[in-house]
Amino acid sequence: MRALRPVLILTALACAGTTPRTKPTPSSSVGRDSTSQAASPGRGSTSLPNADPFPSTYVPSASRTTLIRNVNILTAAGPTIHNGAILLQNGKIAAVGQSLDAPSDAVVVEGAGRYVTPGIIDVHSHIGVYAAPGGNALSDGNEATNPSTPYVWAEHSVWPQDPQFPRVLAGGVTTLQILPGSANLIGGRSAILKVVPSRTVQGMKFPGAKYGLKMACGENPKRVYASRGPSTRMGNVAGYRTAWINAEAYRRKWDKWNADHKGDPPARDLGNETLAEVMRGNILIHNHCYRADEMAQMMDIAHEFGYKIRVFHHGVETYKIADLLAKEGIGAAVWADWGSFKLEAMDAVKANLALTSRIPESHAMIHSDDPSGSQRLNQEVSKALAAGIAAGIPVTEDDAIKWMTINPAWGLGLQDKIGSIEKGKNADIVLWSANPFSVYSRAEKVWVDGALLYDRSDVAEHWRTDFELGFVPTRNR
């Protein structure tokens, strides 16, 4: 949605410095065999499938064996467990059930009838690439210099000190997909992050998570590039097809060379490399698209070039094509009640999420596209649940919890690790003050990989980014 954001006009002071002198070549090197001094080609010399030049360096925070008992557990894997218990051990969910004994070394958290859910997963965020407090200096989410920019990676814009990160953690969000914006037909790679303190973005990256590729339909690209093209929807489609034609030729050349290593390797191209990875199934497409007819067209293009779309985002008209999404195995990431703010969003209905989810294979889910909304995704789901019930759709809280947990986990290809409260999964857990679908409920404690990273009752322990150093909260708010 963020094709262009208003920015503040800032004045930057340039730091002047002296140019360092070139270090003279040591006389001892004269006459050496130049061949023996030649450096071996680095990893960047070849294009390899699933290459990982910027690997995750995430290390879980220290955790303690923890038993949370006497709680109502919305598992997202089955019916609610009333008056149940969860055991967190070594960063994993060790057990969940009606009654569990506390190991001798366990910290016991008395739930007193409150609610527990899996950590919330927001599949559409721009936190870090549009960092607070905003302004031109921190507007890094749209590389609006070319209609197709698959060569950019969101992680290279993420500012780990964005003060919005601890605020979404306090809202129960434990995993984020950070996407480039939607100015472009093809906007670049996403970054899948754990909501944890870190000095570097690599320290936040979810180990083993597949990259996403952001694409965008409709009004945004044709508006942004109207003066140089595309300026129409048919121009948009021609742009996608041209990009995939080039990428397919690139993929074939590199697959052949990687198989036989005959002759010199082809020249690398960062954009085609990303698209080739999509074709190989190593990158998941997340497609900004509002209208049902345009989503159907994007499916046709995917068929033409043999790749898969993982999730349509925003999708205010997914209720019209839920059967097509289910048939194609494509998810729908939507809002609770945003709509009618531009022409392609005019057919929005508040029951969209509930209507789409009537076919479970459509993998309907909530998303934010907004740092404030990301802090309140439980309330957004509550609104969508109420709208569905008002429309006569038999949705329950056990259905609704999936909209912000296991379904978005599926959207990221991480459903085997996060998104539900099941034995063996990562211990990303939220303890709520009341039913999470109540406007009065707040996240009281949040665990990430079994480590307690947020405790509303202990203000001194709240995560503050470097940007906020010097700000000392005086009371619990």
Side-chain angles (χ1 to χ4, degrees):
M1 177 179 176
R2 255 184 209 85
L4 295 173
R5 287 184 50 151
V7 298
L8 301 174
I9 299 176
L10 303 177
T11 302
L13 297 177
C15 296
T18 58
T19 303
R21 294 180 180 178
T22 303
K23 186 176 180 180
T25 303
S27 57
S28 59
S29 67
V30 177
R32 286 185 179 176
D33 181 357
S34 59
T35 303
S36 65
Q37 296 297 307
S40 299
R43 288 179 299 157
S45 63
T46 56
S47 177
L48 299 175
N50 263 330
D52 191 13
F54 311 104
S56 170
T57 59
Y58 168 73
V59 176
S61 298
S63 63
R64 298 181 62 182
T65 299
T66 302
L67 182 71
I68 310 167
R69 65 188 182 190
N70 299 321
V71 286
N72 299 302
I73 307 170
L74 289 159
T75 67
T80 298
I81 299 173
H82 295 283
N83 197 33
I86 308 169
L87 179 64
L88 314 182
Q89 204 165 37
N90 299 320
K92 303 290 184 182
I93 299 171
V96 55
Q98 204 71 52
S99 179
L100 300 174
D101 294 327
S104 59
D105 62 339
V107 174
V108 177
V109 177
E110 288 291 347
R114 289 171 289 181
Y115 283 74
V116 165
T117 69
I120 296 172
I121 301 162
D122 189 355
V123 297
H124 193 119
S125 176
H126 301 292
I127 291 174
V129 298
Y130 282 113
N136 189 52
L138 295 171
S139 179
D140 291 312
N142 268 305
E143 182 58 38
T145 54
N146 191 294
S148 181
T149 59
Y151 42 80
V152 300
W153 301 29
E155 66 196 80
H156 300 139
S157 281
V158 170
W159 186 35
Q161 301 306 323
D162 185 350
Q164 294 169 135
F165 283 121
R167 283 159 176 76
V168 299
L169 180 69
V173 176
T174 55
T175 305
L176 292 167
Q177 176 171 226
I178 310 301
L179 290 157
S182 53
N184 300 328
L185 301 173
I186 302 174
R189 296 197 193 198
S190 70
I192 315 303
L193 305 183
K194 288 177 173 287
V195 188
V196 296
S198 178
R199 295 174 298 172
T200 66
V201 69
Q202 289 97 330
M204 303 176 75
K205 286 176 68 173
F206 199 116
K210 288 187 175 183
Y211 281 103
L213 176 69
K214 174 69 176 292
M215 295 182 66
C217 296
E219 294 180 21
N220 284 9
K222 77 188 192 80
R223 182 185 72 249
V224 172
Y225 293 100
S227 63
R228 49 190 164 129
S231 62
T232 62
R233 280 182 163 83
M234 61 185 174
N236 285 356
V237 172
Y240 307 130
R241 297 179 75 204
T242 298
W244 291 113
I245 287 169
N246 293 335
E248 173 59 21
Y250 180 87
R251 182 193 65 80
R252 287 198 309 270
K253 289 177 183 177
W254 270 104
D255 285 353
K256 180 181 183 300
W257 190 86
N258 282 321
D260 60 28
H261 282 217
K262 291 181 179 179
D264 289 337
R268 281 189 70 185
D269 181 282
L270 290 177
N272 282 327
E273 190 166 276
T274 289
L275 299 182
E277 286 291 81
V278 172
M279 291 175 162
R280 295 182 183 118
N282 297 329
I283 293 179
L284 306 176
I285 287 183
H286 292 265
N287 203 147
H288 159 127
C289 217
Y290 287 80
R291 289 180 2 192
D293 62 308
E294 285 194 283
M295 286 183 266
Q297 287 175 340
M298 296 307 293
M299 294 180 213
D300 288 340
I301 298 168
H303 293 159
E304 181 181 11
F305 292 98
Y307 63 86
K308 292 284 293 182
I309 297 168
R310 188 68 170 188
V311 181
F312 281 117
H313 290 233
H314 305 342
V316 300
E317 295 184 17
T318 58
Y319 66 93
K320 297 181 180 181
I321 55 166
D323 58 329
L324 297 182
L325 298 178
K327 180 182 177 181
E328 295 288 329
I330 299 174
V334 303
W335 295 296
D337 53 5
W338 285 17
S340 302
F341 49 86
K342 55 181 175 177
L343 190 59
E344 64 185 356
M346 289 300 291
D347 274 358
V349 298
K350 291 183 178 180
N352 186 28
L353 186 49
L355 284 165
T356 303
S357 72
R358 287 185 303 173
I359 304 177
E361 292 78 12
S362 65
H363 297 286
M365 64 195 79
I366 199 75
H367 72 343
S368 76
D369 192 27
D370 177 78
S372 178
S374 192
Q375 298 172 40
R376 300 165 177 84
L377 281 175
N378 62 309
Q379 295 179 21
E380 295 301 301
V381 166
S382 181
K383 290 190 289 184
L385 175 62
I389 293 170
I393 302 166
V395 286
T396 67
E397 290 183 353
D398 286 329
D399 298 318
I401 190 62
K402 296 177 182 179
W403 298 345
M404 62 182 184
T405 57
I406 193 62
N407 288 357
W410 176 90
L412 300 179
L414 295 171
Q415 68 274 18
D416 60 331
K417 296 181 174 66
I418 56 175
S420 60
I421 297 178
E422 298 177 87
K423 182 178 178 180
K425 285 199 170 183
N426 293 3
D428 292 359
I429 300 293
V430 185
L431 174 66
W432 299 87
S433 62
N435 187 313
F437 301 122
S438 165
V439 70
Y440 301 106
S441 182
R442 295 184 180 183
E444 290 203 336
K445 299 180 189 294
V446 182
W447 290 265
V448 178
D449 288 323
L452 182 61
L453 295 190
Y454 176 76
D455 185 345
R456 192 163 68 95
S457 67
D458 190 352
V459 177
E461 295 299 321
H462 289 188
W463 168 18
R464 285 178 291 152
T465 68
D466 288 356
F467 179 79
E468 298 175 283
L469 291 179
F471 168 69
V472 181
T474 57
R475 61 187 179 88
N476 194 0
R477 295 170 186 262

